[in-house]
Amino acid sequence: MAQRPTIKTIAKETGLSTATVSKALNASPQVRPRTRDKVLQAAKELGYELNISGVQLRTGKTYQIAMITVIASPDDDEWAGVGYTQLISGISRAIEHTPYRVVQHQVASFDDSFEVIKRIVQNKKADGIIISGTRANDPRISFMQEQDFPFVTYGTSDASAPHAFVDTDNRRIVTICVERLLSKGHRRIAMINAREELNYTQNRIEAYKAALSKAGQTFDPSLLAYGRLTPAFGREQLFEMSMFDEPPTAYICANEATAMGVLSGFQVRGMEHGRDAVVIATDDLNVSQYFSPPITTCYLPISKPSETLGKFMLDLIGGEDPINLQKLFVPDLIERGADTCNLERQ
Amino acid sequence: MAQRPTIKTIAKETGLSTATVSKALNASPQVRPRTRDKVLQAAKELGYELNISGVQLRTGKTYQIAMITVIASPDDDEWAGVGYTQLISGISRAIEHTPYRVVQHQVASFDDSFEVIKRIVQNKKADGIIISGTRANDPRISFMQEQDFPFVTYGTSDASAPHAFVDTDNRRIVTICVERLLSKGHRRIAMINAREELNYTQNRIEAYKAALSKAGQTFDPSLLAYGRLTPAFGREQLFEMSMFDEPPTAYICANEATAMGVLSGFQVRGMEHGRDAVVIATDDLNVSQYFSPPITTCYLPISKPSETLGKFMLDLIGGEDPINLQKLFVPDLIERGADTCNLERQ
DNA sequence: CATATAAAATTAAACGTTTATATTTTGAGT
DNA sequence: ACTCAAAATATAAACGTTTAATTTTATATG
């Protein structure tokens, strides 16, 4: 093969001008069907493929979707449940048959993520941005809104203007979990959360308080923990809380990595699941069925929200109004035990 | 802010031509230090940033590193230990302060991965390619070698010509594990492997056989299993093998997801780790310390090989000979128990 | 101080595409 | 057949960069 074919090659081949070829390839109404077919035919025969840098230079379109991932340090690679893999994987699947690609921009902190976003927006380095780890009052969101730059968030925010987002319905999850545990007789329910500044953590707390108050139960802030959702964190919290005068009889974990840590803590402390306390989690990898013992979870296959993330991004670039691109997924409750325990001591 | 500054802006600002500006920015020896400083100064003041599509169009350089990931289907998202996240994360870290970006190309099968690689190579859509899941006789590798396209593999191959690679020393791992188990008195040692066509699976089997034969033990092929390394697969294998007339007393798992599945099988079958059999695994997330019970593993933090992957890619693009870009990492054995069990029945 | 030479700068073209503007072709209406 | 508007196509410039070829400037040499 000599040179990679360009629209020039097609022009020469068909006897048309490059302008017409370009228009034909872009399905412009200015070119009549007959010539369009001729061009398409030639393009196919020559094995023509659009050179994106040409387009990019001329129009500014990049066909890149920037995915911002925040990973503090190598040791942050410690398993924290669903990683960005599954997220990116779902997005990739959604854009599979388009010319778009996912480009990962990894940063070490929230502040860095803001810097990177500024650069991407100002230098038009991507056609759209996807972020996760949204905060209650997220400056990145207001920035992108001001600059009128397309973005979708994985996670909600409390931004005044509406924006495209996908998330798990965390309020719902927590409500379901707390109500279930209350109905089983639990009165000391711990909740192990992600970092406090994340919007979804706030949502979970609100739902937790609301469910308790609806049942006439008092709220004890010492039963709430905040941190990075790793097994280590779960275990630490179990160690700490199980020493309380009135220890929790149930632990609601924000992900399965943390739940695994809590169970590991059980084993170290000689506690038994279902006798001394129970653990229930939010799960998007469906892995807690393999825990020893398996635990009850609110399960939402990560593939669903992540594919939607990609789809929303395409729609947004296509000009759709963000207000129509908002979705909360409701997980299924999968019971894997009675989740009662020796509650008579209360 | 008016327009994004280009070299033209700098040229106007400094009174030089765009050619000189370009050369100055690229540290060409054709421009004298004094003017270079002037240009750099102006660039800084103007907040100039290189427009990659311009470069790309002119030179063909893309500043993209293509990472090919094979994910068969959404349900493939099931946890299979270390995902691509950690891999991409390490690569990203290695190229952090360069203009390079990682672009993920997700495909559904091995064959598709080959197709994508062909397109990337032929249309020069990236400056280099990183692949994993290398096979014993991998056609993708020979293709990229023929086309003289820069690539690094995560995993070894048996290609005749040398190529850049990073991998865990799987022979070593298996040798260590088998010898350890033999010395503890185990005679029926099962090994749960990844798919048979993967080169590292072959390496593991060779090492397994060699270690047995060195100890004068016979090799029983029914103790070997091949499949996708998920918890489900591990559990299935435990169910199957534990029904043998002479069941294994030890299971060597190729990753921790599978090990978790085996342990889950123990619990279902009423078996007890350390009494009826033991499990040891290869681990790159350091998560098996949180299993109930924690198990002995060969641990290698995934951050190490993945960063090397990125570094090798840069070196390769920089013109380094692939023969100098090959590395096998040797994991640490972390003992988390005696790993003996009731062996008198043998 | 003229001259040869080396060093430093400039000019101009090119990469592949799109698009505003100009030109030609087509076909309908008389 | 002729006119004229509409439709289809062509021309040419531009996006930001690099680089071969060329010109200008500085430096060394006798």
Side-chain angles (χ1 to χ4, degrees):
Chain A
M1 174 187 347
Q3 267 299 77
R4 194 180 150 188
T6 70
I7 54 169
K8 238 181 202 159
T9 324
I10 300 180
K12 206 159 285 173
E13 191 72 16
T14 56
L16 293 161
S17 73
T18 58
T20 308
V21 171
S22 170
K23 283 176 191 159
L25 291 171
N26 290 300
S28 157
Q30 283 179 45
V31 38
R32 74 180 145 177
R34 195 147 46 102
T35 35
R36 190 154 76 87
D37 290 347
K38 199 161 62 174
V39 169
L40 259 41
Q41 173 70 16
K44 197 167 186 182
E45 275 170 12
L46 292 164
Y48 168 78
E49 191 154 350
L50 182 71
N51 181 326
I52 288 181
S53 39
V55 181
Q56 200 168 338
L57 191 53
R58 175 65 225 236
T59 66
K61 203 156 176 38
T62 66
Y63 290 105
Q64 292 192 3
I65 293 171
M67 168 83 190
I68 315 290
T69 59
V70 181
I71 298 187
S73 72
D75 79 305
D76 218 18
D77 282 342
E78 186 184 354
W79 190 52
V82 55
Y84 291 110
T85 312
Q86 282 90 357
L87 228 50
I88 296 181
S89 149
I91 300 167
S92 298
R93 201 154 39 233
I95 64 172
E96 204 171 358
H97 298 294
T98 72
Y100 290 90
R101 293 294 92 176
V102 181
V103 180
Q104 191 176 8
H105 293 256
Q106 181 166 312
V107 296
S109 69
F110 180 85
D111 290 343
D112 285 358
S113 80
F114 198 2
E115 288 309 310
V116 165
I117 288 171
K118 280 181 189 155
R119 279 191 32 203
I120 293 175
V121 170
Q122 275 157 5
N123 296 317
K124 185 61 172 75
K125 283 185 171 314
D127 295 345
I129 297 180
I130 296 178
I131 60 171
S132 61
T134 46
R135 298 192 171 180
N137 205 319
D138 202 312
R140 303 172 302 178
I141 293 179
S142 33
F143 174 76
M144 292 188 282
Q145 284 180 326
E146 279 160 22
Q147 303 284 321
D148 205 24
F149 198 90
F151 71 99
V152 185
T153 63
Y154 185 48
T156 55
S157 78
D158 59 358
S160 48
H163 62 85
F165 69 80
V166 174
D167 203 1
T168 312
D169 192 338
N170 279 285
R171 292 178 204 267
R172 186 75 169 275
I173 288 179
V174 171
T175 308
I176 291 173
C177 290
V178 173
E179 285 180 351
R180 174 183 164 84
L181 291 167
L182 286 171
S183 77
K184 300 275 183 183
H186 293 271
R187 289 299 173 265
R188 299 280 291 164
I189 302 173
M191 189 163 70
I192 305 192
N193 301 291
R195 295 190 324 278
E196 201 163 4
E197 63 268 27
L198 296 175
N199 195 56
Y200 90 97
T201 298
Q202 294 305 320
N203 292 162
R204 290 176 75 98
I205 295 170
E206 285 160 23
Y208 174 86
K209 286 183 182 167
L212 282 185
S213 115
K214 190 175 154 200
Q217 299 295 318
T218 56
F219 164 67
D220 177 357
S222 69
L223 293 177
L224 298 182
Y226 308 95
R228 202 155 64 80
L229 296 176
T230 62
F233 176 60
R235 186 153 73 176
E236 266 167 37
Q237 292 310 312
L238 183 277
F239 286 165
E240 206 159 297
M241 291 190 181
S242 62
M243 301 304 283
F244 286 177
D245 289 341
E246 287 185 273
T249 60
Y251 295 83
I252 300 176
C253 298
N255 76 348
E256 67 273 37
T258 312
M260 180 190 270
V262 172
L263 286 176
S264 155
F266 274 39
Q267 139 128 1
V268 173
R269 284 282 186 266
M271 291 167 66
E272 193 179 301
H273 187 268
R275 185 192 67 191
D276 302 307
V278 302
V279 180
I280 82 182
T282 305
D283 183 344
D284 34 26
L285 287 175
N286 207 3
V287 86
S288 41
Q289 61 182 307
Y290 298 104
F291 287 178
S292 306
I295 61 169
T296 296
T297 63
C298 284
Y299 173 55
L300 176 70
I302 182 70
S303 57
K304 284 196 195 174
S306 57
E307 277 195 48
T308 307
L309 223 39
K311 190 188 164 305
F312 279 7
M313 188 79 256
L314 290 181
D315 290 349
L316 201 57
I317 292 174
E320 181 64 85
D321 189 330
I323 204 149
N324 301 321
L325 301 173
Q326 306 188 324
K327 181 147 179 77
L328 285 183
F329 286 89
V330 180
D332 294 326
L333 181 74
I334 304 183
E335 302 189 40
R336 296 208 179 91
D339 292 335
T340 55
C341 55
N342 301 342
L343 296 165
E344 63 279 8
R345 60 188 149 136
Q346 302 278 335
Chain B
M1 173 188 346
Q3 267 299 77
R4 193 180 151 189
T6 70
I7 55 169
K8 238 180 201 162
T9 325
I10 300 180
K12 205 159 285 173
E13 192 71 16
T14 56
L16 294 161
S17 72
T18 58
T20 309
V21 172
S22 171
K23 283 176 193 158
L25 291 171
N26 290 300
S28 156
Q30 284 179 45
V31 39
R32 76 180 143 171
R34 194 148 46 102
T35 35
R36 190 154 76 88
D37 290 348
K38 198 162 62 174
V39 169
L40 260 39
Q41 173 69 16
K44 197 167 186 182
E45 275 171 10
L46 291 164
Y48 168 78
E49 191 154 347
L50 181 70
N51 180 326
I52 287 180
S53 39
V55 181
Q56 199 168 337
L57 192 53
R58 175 64 224 238
T59 66
K61 204 154 176 37
T62 66
Y63 290 106
Q64 293 192 4
I65 292 171
M67 168 83 190
I68 315 291
T69 59
V70 181
I71 298 187
S73 70
D75 78 306
D76 219 18
D77 283 343
E78 186 183 355
W79 190 52
V82 55
Y84 291 111
T85 312
Q86 282 89 358
L87 229 49
I88 296 181
S89 148
I91 300 167
S92 298
R93 201 156 37 236
I95 64 172
E96 204 171 357
H97 297 294
T98 71
Y100 290 90
R101 292 295 89 169
V102 180
V103 180
Q104 191 177 5
H105 293 255
Q106 181 168 310
V107 296
S109 69
F110 181 85
D111 290 343
D112 285 359
S113 80
F114 198 2
E115 287 310 310
V116 165
I117 288 171
K118 280 182 189 157
R119 279 191 34 203
I120 293 174
V121 171
Q122 275 158 3
N123 296 319
K124 184 64 171 73
K125 282 184 171 315
D127 295 346
I129 296 180
I130 296 177
I131 60 172
S132 60
T134 46
R135 297 192 171 180
N137 204 319
D138 202 312
R140 303 173 301 179
I141 292 179
S142 33
F143 173 77
M144 291 188 283
Q145 285 180 326
E146 280 160 23
Q147 303 284 320
D148 206 25
F149 197 91
F151 71 98
V152 185
T153 63
Y154 185 49
T156 55
S157 79
D158 60 358
S160 48
H163 62 85
F165 70 80
V166 175
D167 203 0
T168 311
D169 192 338
N170 279 286
R171 292 178 204 269
R172 187 75 170 274
I173 287 179
V174 170
T175 307
I176 292 173
C177 290
V178 173
E179 284 179 352
R180 174 184 162 83
L181 291 168
L182 286 172
S183 78
K184 300 275 183 181
H186 293 270
R187 290 300 172 264
R188 300 279 292 165
I189 302 171
M191 189 162 70
I192 305 192
N193 301 291
R195 296 192 321 280
E196 201 165 3
E197 63 269 27
L198 296 175
N199 195 57
Y200 90 97
T201 298
Q202 295 305 320
N203 293 162
R204 289 175 76 98
I205 295 171
E206 285 160 23
Y208 175 85
K209 287 183 184 168
L212 283 185
S213 114
K214 190 175 156 201
Q217 297 296 318
T218 55
F219 164 66
D220 177 356
S222 69
L223 293 177
L224 298 182
Y226 308 95
R228 203 156 63 81
L229 297 175
T230 61
F233 175 61
R235 187 153 73 176
E236 267 167 36
Q237 292 310 312
L238 183 276
F239 286 165
E240 207 159 296
M241 292 189 181
S242 61
M243 302 304 282
F244 286 177
D245 289 341
E246 288 185 273
T249 60
Y251 295 83
I252 300 176
C253 298
N255 76 348
E256 68 272 37
T258 313
M260 180 190 271
V262 172
L263 287 176
S264 155
F266 274 40
Q267 140 129 358
V268 174
R269 284 281 186 267
M271 293 168 64
E272 193 179 300
H273 187 268
R275 185 192 67 189
D276 301 307
V278 302
V279 180
I280 81 183
T282 306
D283 184 343
D284 34 25
L285 287 174
N286 207 3
V287 86
S288 42
Q289 62 182 305
Y290 298 104
F291 287 177
S292 305
I295 61 170
T296 295
T297 62
C298 285
Y299 173 54
L300 175 71
I302 182 69
S303 58
K304 284 196 194 173
S306 57
E307 276 195 48
T308 308
L309 223 39
K311 189 187 166 305
F312 279 7
M313 188 80 253
L314 290 180
D315 291 349
L316 201 57
I317 291 174
E320 181 65 84
D321 189 331
I323 204 148
N324 301 322
L325 301 172
Q326 306 186 324
K327 183 148 179 76
L328 285 183
F329 285 90
V330 180
D332 295 326
L333 181 73
I334 304 183
E335 302 189 42
R336 296 209 180 91
D339 292 333
T340 55
C341 54
N342 301 342
L343 296 165
E344 63 279 10
R345 60 187 149 140
Q346 303 275 333

